Amino acid sequence: MHRLSRRSVSVVLRHGAARHRNATAPLSSANLLTGLSGEAETKQRWYSVLAAGRFNSTGSTKAFERNNVPYLGIRYESTAAASGSSDPPAEKYEYQAEVSRLMDLIVNSLYSNKEVFLRELIRHVFESNNASDALDKLRFLSVTEQELLKDGVDLDIRIQSDKDNGIITIMDSGIGMTRQELVDCLGTIAQSGTAKFLKALKESKDSGADSNLIGQFGVGFYSAFLVADKVVVSTRSPKSDKQYVWEGEANSSSYSIREETNPENLIPRGTRLTLYLKRDDKGFAHPERIQKLVKNYSQFVSFPIYTWQEKGFTKEVEVDEDPADEAKKEESDKKAVEKKKKTKTVVEKYWDWELTNETQPIWLRNPKEVSTEEYNEFYKKTFDEYMDPLASSHFTTEGEVEFRSILYVPAVAPMSGRDDIANPKTKNIRLYVKRVFISDDFDGELFPRYLSFVKGVVDSNDLPLNVSREILQESRIVRIMRKRLVRKAFDMILGISMSENRDDYDKFWENFGKHLKLGCIEDRDNHKRLAPLLRFFSSQSEDELISLDEYVQNMKTGQKDIYYIAADSVSSAKNTPFLERLLEKEFEVLYLVDPIDEVAIQNLKSYKDMNFVDITKEDLDLGDKNEEKEKQMKQEFGQTCDWIKKRLGDRVASVQISNRLSSSPCVLASGKFGWSANMERLMKAQTVGDTSSLDFMRGRRVFEINSEHPIIRTLDAACKNSPNDEEALKAIDLLYDTALVSSGFTPESPAQLGGKIYEMMDMALSGKWGAPTIEYQQPVTSAQNLEPVEAEVVEPAAAEAGSKN
């Protein structure tokens, strides 16, 4: 790895003088490189490009080696050059006619976030409009033209800032530019030197080497004017013996180019870009912020990026004592051994170059060479997590679209995301284009919202560098990437479910189970991948979740469907009368106790060619139909069913003989195409729900009776012997209300139902335990009759006579 020798710097800083340790001083816009001039012989000096002080050229500077020195710190001086130089006049150039309009578009429209200017300049500033491209190009050309590297300067990028004056300097030791290349590349929009270079390579027969140069647009350089009023580019190509300076200002239609003749500003090779920031944007010049931007956007550029940072080291210094106390001490200690002087620990600060980026992204390495600990460490560092992920997947996709990716399944859901599973906007996926960070602000372009909990990085070579939201939404490449990323995410989750440690998937399901259920609703194309991952409680597993595969394995002979019931809890589900006959036949029933469960299962429709059947709906088929018996029962109880239907009126669609009851007298089933009792309850609870659709969706209810139950047998006798008996009609009303509650529906008038129950209790308890009997009539006799009626007053004598009878 290309590093500046820290030991060399510290030797100079610690053994120079105190004035050398804090060498950075306010930067003058007229003089970027300062130092001595006019010496008799040519010398090399090493210093910060923004430093006002300088290091001695003797003594401790011997610790420096030429190859470890930043090229910007090398200055070639001569007496002749210093004394006889005079700057030639600068030549003024006009931008292309459309440049002014495009610059306004770039500054105000193309980039929505100002802080991307540094990312764009690192990759778009210099020859080929790109600092790392300039280094790539130099390295490639030096294979056949070794003289290009004759200066022996390391290939790197260095960024230095002056927060007091609002100046940022970005430097590279790449190929640099000639005068004509300055005009072509920095005076023309959409004129990319990298594009020209790649075109030449493509046309050349000897271009078999891999040259991954990322510049594609000529607009990246002008992102500097997002934050700067003035931009100065000083560049020198190894093919030229002259150095040129390009100067441009914001809102100007022209720029100037001049030859650099000041020996203090000469560089051996490469480009130096200086930004003079706008008043409101001087905050970008803080060294800490520069370092943060580099780590965020350019962490994995293939060349070292150094930033100029303040550092410190501790040392012991003597404490000055009071002169009077010191005199007394000298008198008292004349004959005693002199004690050690008092000292204290202080932190002495200095400035030094610090490597800010990692040049080898983990996703570019061979997965076989990366340990689990390295994957986990990268996950924690990248996404600010404190727990290891449940699973990770490192893969490379080749073919029509090529990209590399590492995906992770977090161990826990974020506290803000446990209830808000419908929000697709997360910062969980970091998109890189050729190792340059582009964005982590997506709205479902790379992952559907039900997989928004998946975290990871995606690095593509096929996407354009200036990726906008519109490009992500319309790009065919992105659609293919999304499809493959989703597939890999499912493979990773399936691996957790098949793990020998069942607790891993239980933990995953607790945190992200609702997300997968949402996927059943939104992503029909992936139903086959989603269904095996679902988990539910059941009539045979009330305490432990089971999968659909386990349900299928437990199916009884003759069972053709997968049965389920939706309720608000396992307790409610297991006590419902709908289960009676199924439990007798030992058919397992899934308990859907999560509000989203019912809708998810309805969207799945089937699993392994077996349909999901709601046992609360009408026409339940248990596979044991007997047509002769059904015909006989209809003949026997047909009149009773019509009598009950006449009494209930529009409250039910029909009255039928039930095949699902064994111990309960009746049940209220939902229509085949209407809401279930659970769904009706959920829809009523919606704060912004449309109540106008409630009557339509809940309109059909089927009242099913158990022909073998004593209550139904008694009502059958009442129907045939005394169909107009008031007590029998009241019993039908109470039977309906009771079935309404036991089937999971909400009574329309709970108070009225309570009154009926009290009346029945009075009838049952009347005259017992020696209590006097008082008869009364319920004010409202049925749900249809809501008119108040006068209570019948019974005389005590009549009451006593009735009790004797």
Side-chain angles (χ1 to χ4, degrees):
M1 184 177 293
H2 303 284
R3 292 178 180 268
L4 179 64
S5 173
R6 291 173 178 249
R7 183 172 182 274
S8 302
V9 174
S10 61
V11 169
V12 175
L13 293 171
R14 297 184 185 185
H15 297 286
R19 59 189 176 92
H20 293 152
R21 292 195 178 101
N22 200 351
T24 302
L27 178 67
S28 170
S29 60
N31 185 14
L32 287 175
L33 294 172
T34 61
L36 292 176
S37 60
E39 299 192 16
E41 56 187 35
T42 301
K43 295 181 180 179
Q44 298 180 2
R45 294 198 181 94
W46 297 268
Y47 49 86
S48 161
V49 71
L50 296 181
R54 61 185 180 275
F55 300 125
N56 293 330
S57 58
T58 60
S60 59
T61 54
K62 294 179 181 180
F64 283 92
E65 294 182 4
R66 178 171 179 143
N67 290 336
N68 287 331
V69 176
Y71 74 96
L72 284 162
I74 302 177
R75 183 176 70 217
Y76 299 92
E77 302 178 11
S78 65
T79 305
S83 59
S85 62
S86 60
D87 292 341
E91 295 187 25
K92 205 168 187 179
Y93 294 83
E94 294 290 329
Y95 287 114
Q96 285 180 323
E98 69 276 12
V99 167
S100 298
R101 185 177 61 180
L102 286 177
M103 283 180 64
D104 180 70
L105 176 68
I106 292 166
V107 173
N108 298 308
S109 301
L110 184 59
Y111 300 103
S112 58
N113 186 4
K114 280 188 175 184
E115 67 179 20
V116 302
F117 81 94
L118 189 60
R119 178 195 75 186
E120 294 297 310
L121 293 178
I122 288 177
R123 65 179 192 168
H124 277 298
V125 168
F126 309 104
E127 166 57 18
S128 310
N129 293 1
N130 182 317
S132 75
D133 274 0
L135 297 169
D136 258 329
K137 186 174 180 180
L138 177 62
R139 184 167 58 183
F140 183 85
L141 293 176
S142 65
V143 175
T144 55
E145 303 177 48
Q146 297 183 2
E147 65 275 7
L148 296 177
L149 295 177
K150 61 184 178 180
D151 296 310
V153 180
D154 288 340
L155 301 179
D156 57 24
I157 302 170
R158 295 179 183 263
I159 306 174
Q160 196 167 13
S161 61
D162 178 3
K163 64 181 180 181
D164 296 327
N165 294 297
I167 299 175
I168 298 176
T169 302
I170 307 171
M171 307 151 276
D172 83 82
S173 55
I175 194 66
M177 288 180 277
T178 63
R179 187 189 194 97
Q180 186 58 43
E181 287 170 340
L182 275 175
V183 176
D184 293 341
C185 294
L186 302 189
T188 305
I189 293 288
Q191 176 71 25
S192 172
T194 299
K196 282 186 175 182
F197 180 58
L198 289 176
K199 183 178 179 181
L201 282 178
K202 189 174 182 180
E203 294 173 354
S204 174
K205 295 181 181 180
D206 300 328
S207 60
D210 179 21
S211 184
N212 183 23
L213 307 186
I214 67 176
Q216 295 184 18
F217 301 93
V219 298
F221 167 74
Y222 296 98
S223 65
F225 292 105
L226 285 168
V227 296
D229 283 324
K230 179 182 178 182
V231 178
V232 177
V233 179
S234 182
T235 182
R236 181 177 183 178
S237 172
K239 297 180 180 180
S240 173
D241 58 351
K242 295 182 180 180
Q243 181 174 323
Y244 296 96
V245 179
W246 182 100
E247 292 189 16
E249 296 184 1
N251 303 320
S252 175
S253 61
S254 62
Y255 61 92
S256 64
I257 297 178
R258 60 178 173 83
E259 182 182 343
E260 181 63 81
T261 57
N262 186 346
E264 295 182 355
N265 295 336
L266 293 179
I267 56 178
R269 183 189 71 232
T271 306
R272 179 177 66 241
L273 171 72
T274 306
L275 306 181
Y276 297 87
L277 302 180
K278 300 175 183 177
R279 178 180 300 177
D280 295 338
D281 297 314
K282 288 188 176 181
F284 286 107
H286 283 266
E288 296 83 4
R289 190 165 187 184
I290 292 290
Q291 188 178 52
K292 181 180 178 181
L293 291 178
V294 171
K295 287 184 175 180
N296 189 37
Y297 290 101
S298 304
Q299 175 78 354
F300 302 107
V301 171
S302 57
F303 291 94
I305 301 178
Y306 294 91
T307 55
W308 190 245
Q309 300 293 329
E310 185 179 31
K311 301 183 179 183
F313 64 92
T314 59
K315 70 174 185 178
E316 298 290 331
V317 296
E318 296 181 0
V319 178
D320 295 333
E321 297 182 357
D322 185 72
D325 294 339
E326 190 173 345
K328 292 179 181 179
K329 183 179 179 181
E330 290 178 356
E331 293 178 0
S332 60
D333 294 345
K334 286 181 180 179
K335 298 181 180 179
V337 180
E338 185 178 357
K339 297 182 180 180
K340 293 183 179 179
K341 294 184 178 180
K342 293 183 178 180
T343 61
K344 66 177 180 178
T345 302
V346 297
V347 178
E348 189 138 355
K349 296 185 176 180
Y350 65 96
W351 291 80
D352 191 9
W353 291 109
E354 182 175 315
L355 181 65
T356 306
N357 69 322
E358 298 177 10
T359 57
Q360 179 62 32
I362 189 174
W363 61 82
L364 294 182
R365 295 167 58 185
N366 188 334
K368 297 180 180 179
E369 300 175 356
V370 184
S371 64
T372 303
E373 290 73 18
E374 289 178 292
Y375 283 127
N376 294 346
E377 186 64 28
F378 176 77
Y379 168 76
K380 293 177 182 178
K381 180 179 178 182
T382 305
F383 300 103
D384 295 327
E385 292 284 350
Y386 64 94
M387 295 180 64
D388 291 338
L390 283 178
S392 63
S393 177
H394 183 186
F395 59 93
T396 300
T397 300
E398 298 179 348
E400 190 175 5
V401 174
E402 296 185 5
F403 66 91
R404 295 173 179 266
S405 178
I406 301 179
L407 301 180
Y408 295 94
V409 174
V412 294
M415 295 303 297
S416 59
R418 288 184 180 271
D419 300 321
D420 187 15
I421 64 172
N423 182 16
K425 281 196 171 185
T426 64
K427 294 186 178 293
N428 290 342
I429 299 297
R430 296 176 61 86
L431 176 64
Y432 292 80
V433 175
K434 302 177 179 69
R435 302 187 302 277
V436 176
F437 175 68
I438 299 299
S439 177
D440 59 1
D441 184 17
F442 297 107
D443 193 5
E445 289 86 1
L446 291 177
F447 273 97
R449 65 174 180 170
Y450 69 90
L451 288 177
S452 60
F453 63 89
V454 176
K455 298 186 177 185
V457 295
V458 180
D459 187 3
S460 171
N461 290 337
D462 297 321
L463 286 173
L465 291 170
N466 292 343
V467 178
S468 64
R469 179 60 50 80
E470 290 74 18
I471 291 176
L472 287 174
Q473 292 175 344
E474 300 175 5
S475 172
R476 175 175 167 272
I477 296 174
V478 173
R479 289 196 296 270
I480 296 174
M481 289 175 59
R482 173 189 166 113
K483 186 176 181 179
R484 296 182 181 176
L485 287 170
V486 169
R487 189 180 304 168
K488 289 293 184 180
F490 278 125
D491 293 342
M492 183 169 51
I493 298 172
L494 184 62
I496 302 175
S497 69
M498 298 175 66
S499 172
E500 295 180 358
N501 186 0
R502 191 182 180 101
D503 292 340
D504 288 344
Y505 197 74
D506 290 343
K507 187 186 300 183
F508 167 82
W509 185 256
E510 179 183 356
N511 287 280
F512 307 111
K514 290 183 180 180
H515 290 75
L516 298 187
K517 296 172 185 176
L518 179 64
C520 295
I521 302 172
E522 298 186 339
D523 193 355
R524 292 188 177 183
D525 294 336
N526 285 303
H527 277 178
K528 290 184 178 180
R529 292 187 175 91
L530 282 163
L533 302 174
L534 300 179
R535 298 291 185 271
F536 302 100
F537 293 108
S538 76
S539 58
Q540 297 181 10
S541 179
E542 297 177 1
D543 300 322
E544 189 174 348
L545 294 166
I546 66 168
S547 67
L548 294 180
D549 288 325
E550 291 173 316
Y551 179 96
V552 172
Q553 292 175 1
N554 296 333
M555 289 177 64
K556 299 300 180 181
T557 304
Q559 183 178 347
K560 299 178 181 179
D561 299 314
I562 300 175
Y563 299 109
Y564 71 88
I565 182 171
D568 59 349
S569 67
V570 172
S571 177
S572 298
K574 72 179 182 179
N575 292 313
T576 180
F578 293 103
L579 283 174
E580 293 174 358
R581 185 59 62 84
L582 286 97
L583 294 181
E584 286 182 358
K585 298 174 71 68
E586 296 185 350
F587 286 175
E588 189 171 14
V589 180
L590 297 176
Y591 294 160
L592 310 186
V593 296
D594 205 342
I596 197 176
D597 285 352
E598 186 174 0
V599 183
I601 288 296
Q602 289 174 351
N603 278 269
L604 279 181
K605 296 183 180 179
S606 65
Y607 181 69
K608 292 186 176 180
D609 298 327
M610 287 173 286
N611 295 324
F612 289 101
V613 175
D614 186 350
I615 64 173
T616 66
K617 296 294 183 72
E618 63 176 326
D619 298 334
L620 178 65
D621 183 9
L622 298 179
D624 57 355
K625 280 189 176 183
N626 189 330
E627 294 182 359
E628 293 184 2
K629 185 178 180 180
E630 289 181 1
K631 187 176 180 181
Q632 180 182 354
M633 296 301 294
K634 285 182 180 179
Q635 290 177 353
E636 183 179 352
F637 289 91
Q639 184 180 351
T640 304
C641 291
D642 295 339
W643 177 59
I644 296 175
K645 172 66 173 71
K646 182 179 179 180
R647 176 62 180 176
L648 297 178
D650 294 336
R651 285 179 283 177
V652 297
S654 64
V655 179
Q656 300 176 3
I657 305 298
S658 178
N659 66 338
R660 72 183 93 206
L661 299 176
S662 60
S663 60
S664 299
C666 60
V667 74
L668 198 61
S670 304
K672 186 178 294 186
F673 303 104
W675 285 336
S676 66
N678 181 69
M679 183 57 64
E680 187 175 314
R681 174 181 59 84
L682 293 175
M683 295 307 295
K684 283 182 178 180
Q686 298 298 312
T687 55
V688 292
D690 182 11
T691 56
S692 63
S693 64
L694 291 176
D695 292 335
F696 173 75
M697 293 302 296
R698 71 182 179 185
R700 181 175 177 82
R701 292 175 182 171
V702 178
F703 189 65
E704 295 186 1
I705 58 175
N706 180 5
S707 59
E708 299 177 358
H709 197 278
I711 294 178
I712 302 302
R713 291 284 182 178
T714 303
L715 288 177
D716 180 58
C719 172
K720 293 175 181 178
N721 299 322
S722 182
N724 296 323
D725 185 80
E726 189 66 25
E727 295 297 331
L729 295 178
K730 287 182 179 180
I732 293 175
D733 292 335
L734 185 59
L735 199 64
Y736 170 79
D737 289 336
T738 307
L740 197 71
V741 175
S742 64
S743 300
F745 294 99
T746 303
E748 295 179 0
S749 178
Q752 190 180 57
L753 174 60
K756 294 177 182 178
I757 295 174
Y758 297 150
E759 183 180 0
M760 296 298 293
M761 290 176 64
D762 179 70
M763 293 174 60
L765 300 177
S766 178
K768 291 188 175 183
W769 305 296
T773 302
I774 301 178
E775 294 184 1
Y776 69 94
Q777 188 173 351
Q778 188 68 18
V780 181
T781 59
S782 67
Q784 291 177 316
N785 185 13
L786 298 179
E787 295 293 332
V789 296
E790 294 184 1
E792 180 182 355
V793 180
V794 181
E795 295 296 332
E800 291 177 3
S803 62
K804 291 179 181 180
N805 294 334

